[in-house]
Amino acid sequence: SRVVLTEAGRAEARAGTEGLPRMAAALAARDELIERALCALHLYHRDQHYIVNEGKVQIVDESTGRVMPDRQWEHGLHQMIEIKEGCAPSARRETLTQITFQRFFRKYLWFGGMTGTATPVAREIRAVYDLPVVRIPTHARNRRRRLGATLCAGPAEKWDRVVAAARLRVEQRRPVLIGTRSVDASEALKARFDAAGMAVSLLNARQDKEEAAIVARAGAAGCVTIATNMAGRGPDIRLTDEARAAGGLHVILTEFHDSARVDRQLFGRAGRQGDPGSCEAIVAIDDDLFRRFAPRLSRLVAVVARLTPGLRLSIAASALRIAAQRRAGRLAALARMQTLRADEALEKALSFARPL
């Protein structure tokens, strides 16, 4: 996502920079700085895209839920976010060279990989890497049960339903894993459980050092674990004998991701290696994915929900998810291909500088 000034915005910028030194008021530099500042203010959110730890802004990888303490956003954006958060601006880093992951991996003579969610992107893998996707059957029968999706009117109802669903599984002596998309959401949900008198373990970017211990006890009977983007935390959650006999791990997804692959990876924490398990989604109409990528459909569903209270909206939840994730997937794939083409064009333009 990015911010682009409209003509009215540029006019406002010109009016606001009158009288400044010529270099500061230069058109290109001025507009770029204003757009970057607006990005820092409105598009990058604390406890979602980054955390503030010991007076430093640390980027959170949204795919894995982990912090990347040695990474910085480019072109002064990182320093603008530091100023926004009242931190001392760090020294700017200059990029000496860059390469996309796609071009980097293609430099290997032989390479491959394994994932449980490659089939939906098989066409892109073939186009970018000229590699086929081969499906390998599991060695044990999949015993995971999918319980569908529940669509709520807003976040308050969603969190109440999540707590109620987790309480039901705990009473059955089953372990529960709850996935959230951001640090902020995970901590808000933990506060709900605290208010309900239920003990939970929290795993987000602030608990990276305790990750192994938290995952190790997540499979105990009656244990509830809240985690951000469990897809990036690969180890299996090993069940105790009591938990396995009670029905295995129950996974609750609280917000669909831009990519359906990430949702499938979260659901895949349950029912591993032939274990029993189940999963469900409890989401809200105003979740970020729906608002950004299916705004008209989400508004229509909201109107239907108000006019017919008590109507089951599981079908509407599936329709919203499919529509939003398809659009998000198309845009993400287009952005990746554009980045790759720009990288290849840059490599060709600079090829004359290579030594013979």
Side-chain angles (χ1 to χ4, degrees), residues 151-158 161 283-286 302 305 313:
L151 188 62
C152 304
E157 180 187 348
K158 176 172 74 172
R161 283 180 178 265
V283 297
I285 294 175
D286 59 353
L313 295 175

Side-chain angles (χ1 to χ4, degrees), residues 95-348:
T95 301
L96 300 180
T97 187
Q98 61 186 22
I99 186 173
T100 61
F101 282 113
Q102 294 98 319
R103 186 156 66 88
F104 173 75
F105 287 126
R106 290 194 313 198
K107 288 184 175 294
Y108 285 89
L109 294 177
W110 300 95
F111 73 98
M114 293 183 67
T115 175
T117 56
T119 303
V121 290
R123 183 180 299 179
E124 185 176 349
I125 292 174
R126 169 70 79 175
V128 175
Y129 302 111
D130 195 25
L131 287 177
V133 171
V134 179
R135 190 167 186 171
I136 301 173
T138 58
H139 78 282
R141 181 173 64 89
N142 187 348
R143 300 169 61 191
R144 184 188 315 114
R145 294 180 298 117
R146 296 196 65 159
L147 306 182
T150 300
L151 188 62
C152 304
E157 180 187 348
K158 176 172 74 172
W159 298 137
D160 288 342
R161 283 180 178 265
V162 169
V163 173
R167 187 189 296 277
L168 175 63
R169 308 301 171 181
V170 169
E171 290 172 352
Q172 297 171 348
R173 299 300 295 159
R174 294 180 60 185
V176 180
L177 172 66
I178 305 171
T180 66
R181 284 194 63 173
S182 68
V183 174
D184 186 47
S186 68
E187 293 177 345
L189 181 55
K190 183 180 184 302
R192 290 279 183 147
F193 276 97
D194 291 342
M198 294 181 64
V200 298
S201 297
L202 182 62
L203 176 57
N204 59 35
R206 303 189 203 280
Q207 288 84 30
D208 271 358
K209 294 180 180 178
E210 297 84 33
E211 178 177 339
I214 294 172
V215 173
R217 61 175 179 265
C223 180
V224 179
T225 305
I226 302 171
T228 54
N229 293 306
M230 195 66 191
R233 306 178 188 275
D236 288 356
I237 294 176
R238 299 192 178 278
L239 303 176
T240 63
D241 292 338
E242 182 184 1
R244 187 176 291 106
L249 180 69
H250 182 67
V251 173
I252 302 175
L253 178 148
T254 62
E255 188 173 350
F256 291 117
H257 292 75
D258 293 3
S259 171
R261 296 181 64 223
V262 180
D263 296 337
R264 291 179 60 200
Q265 288 167 357
L266 174 63
F267 287 147
R269 298 300 103 189
R272 297 182 73 82
Q273 306 293 332
D275 283 335
S278 57
C279 58
E280 66 177 317
I282 301 176
V283 297
I285 294 175
D286 59 353
D287 282 346
D288 184 62
L289 176 73
F290 301 150
R291 286 188 291 102
R292 290 171 57 202
F293 297 106
R296 293 181 180 177
L297 184 57
S298 62
R299 287 195 294 268
L300 175 62
V301 172
V303 171
V304 172
R306 283 198 300 270
L307 295 177
T308 55
L311 178 68
R312 287 181 59 84
L313 295 175
S314 56
I315 296 177
S318 297
L320 270 174
R321 176 188 64 80
I322 292 170
Q325 287 182 336
R326 279 182 179 173
R327 181 163 183 249
R330 285 195 301 268
L331 293 175
L334 179 61
R336 288 192 295 269
M337 293 306 296
Q338 288 176 338
T339 300
L340 178 60
R341 291 191 187 105
D343 189 40
E344 291 172 340
L346 180 63
E347 182 184 26
K348 289 179 181 178

Side-chain angles (χ1 to χ4, degrees), residues 57-61 67-74 78 82 90 93 101:
V57 170
Q58 296 182 332
I59 300 174
V60 175
D61 187 333
V67 294
M68 300 184 290
D70 297 323
R71 295 277 297 276
Q72 276 194 5
W73 285 295
E74 293 182 311
H78 199 93
E82 287 172 328
S90 57
R93 298 179 183 178
F101 282 113

